Amino acid sequence: MDKNTFVVEKPCPICQQKTRVIKPKSRLMMIKQDPDTCVHYKDFNIYLYRIWLCEHCGFAGDEATFGVKLTDRTRAQIKEYLDANPIDHEFLDEHTAGDAIASFERAIECLDLLKMPLAKKASTCHQLAWVYRSIENKEMEEEYLKKAAELYAQSLATERYPMGKLTDTGALFVTGAIYYLLNDYSNCASFLSRIIGDQNARVRERVIFEKARTLWEDVRAAQKEAEKKK
Ligand SMILES: [Zn+2]
């Protein structure tokens, strides 16, 4: 058991039995944050524990998804899917990257079945990219970063914000930052410029606005560098 975690019991929204799940302790020491908001803690990868997996039925989701209220019909549909597509779901008190990846994949399938907002799927794909980042699997990290950016872009075009704590300015920033890490400077610039050109964001979301401006400068520098090489 990792010293930064503890076990609690929570009811599963699908089978409604209590399952053991792992939570990170609140006193973690942050070391750094990547441009796309991935947080690194001392000797601990919080993203390995982001998804809970029911030890009885194999349902997977983050803490908020475990708390959703479902109709009997939705519950039955998901139960049927989980029974037809079983994965290993025994309780593990410590997670490897491989365990976390399997849980994230199942959680993404469950989000589709639950018809959750695109923004939620985007953030789940984004966090799965961070698990791949932690094991230096560049190819899979980029695959999930691309998925996350495309889903955020679709969400921004079609869904209403704020979505929980996420404002549209926050979603624009994250999308721009993902494109920055993918070296896609033109897409990055198009998302960041929507923040920088927004006077409301400048006043109401000062922190994100400043982060966007700083990243914008980095993008301009990177673009100039790329032009020189041509
Ligand atoms: Zn369950």
Side-chain angles (χ1 to χ4, degrees):
M1 180 109 206
D2 193 296
K3 63 177 174 14
N4 295 301
T5 62
F6 61 101
V7 177
V8 289
E9 288 202 329
K10 293 281 174 183
C12 166
I14 304 303
C15 70
Q16 299 180 305
Q17 296 185 71
K18 278 198 170 170
T19 178
R20 284 168 291 173
V21 297
I22 299 176
K23 290 184 94 164
K25 290 183 181 165
S26 51
R27 285 178 162 270
L28 296 171
M29 202 204 285
M30 184 174 147
I31 300 172
K32 65 164 186 163
Q33 193 173 30
D34 297 335
D36 64 345
T37 72
C38 174
V39 181
H40 298 257
Y41 296 97
K42 188 172 189 293
D43 304 325
F44 184 63
N45 181 357
I46 200 166
Y47 304 109
L48 298 184
Y49 297 94
R50 192 44 64 82
I51 299 296
W52 293 352
L53 185 66
C54 173
E55 62 186 306
H56 309 292
C57 71
F59 173 75
D62 63 7
E63 183 167 0
T65 309
F66 257 69
V68 294
K69 295 277 172 282
L70 302 173
T71 61
D72 289 345
R73 188 155 164 250
T74 307
R75 202 179 291 127
Q77 279 170 345
I78 294 177
K79 183 84 177 65
E80 198 180 310
Y81 178 84
L82 298 173
D83 288 344
N85 303 277
I87 59 165
D88 284 341
H89 54 74
E90 77 272 30
F91 176 73
L92 302 169
D93 66 5
E94 208 163 318
H95 294 176
T96 63
D99 302 327
I101 289 164
S103 298
F104 266 104
E105 285 170 349
R106 177 51 36 117
I108 291 166
E109 292 164 6
C110 291
L111 287 178
D112 284 336
L113 294 164
L114 289 165
K115 301 188 180 65
M116 292 292 242
L118 295 167
K120 180 83 184 177
K121 190 171 170 185
S123 119
T124 308
C125 288
H126 195 189
Q127 294 176 76
L128 175 50
W130 295 340
V131 175
Y132 281 116
R133 182 177 299 168
S134 73
I135 52 169
E136 293 172 21
N137 185 334
K138 199 84 189 138
E139 196 184 332
M140 291 305 291
E141 181 196 338
E142 286 186 0
E143 187 176 320
Y144 276 96
L145 285 178
K146 269 188 206 129
K147 273 189 198 174
E150 284 162 13
L151 285 161
Y152 271 126
Q154 276 179 44
S155 164
L156 281 160
T158 57
E159 296 182 323
R160 281 177 77 88
Y161 281 82
M163 191 94 61
K165 275 190 231 155
L166 184 67
T167 62
D168 55 348
T169 310
L172 286 168
F173 176 78
V174 169
T175 313
I178 293 173
Y179 280 122
Y180 172 72
L181 293 180
L182 289 168
N183 298 320
D184 182 342
Y185 301 133
S186 94
N187 260 321
C188 172
S190 91
F191 283 90
L192 293 185
S193 64
R194 285 165 65 187
I195 302 174
I196 293 162
D198 179 355
Q199 285 310 310
N200 276 329
R202 183 192 209 109
V203 178
R204 291 203 199 112
E205 299 199 67
R206 188 90 218 152
V207 175
I208 299 178
F209 184 87
E210 286 306 329
K211 277 168 80 174
R213 209 158 60 174
T214 308
L215 189 56
W216 177 259
E217 279 159 20
D218 293 346
V219 173
R220 294 264 300 262
Q223 269 175 327
K224 271 190 197 142
E225 203 52 43
E227 300 244 316
K228 258 193 238 161
K229 282 183 191 150
K230 272 182 193 165

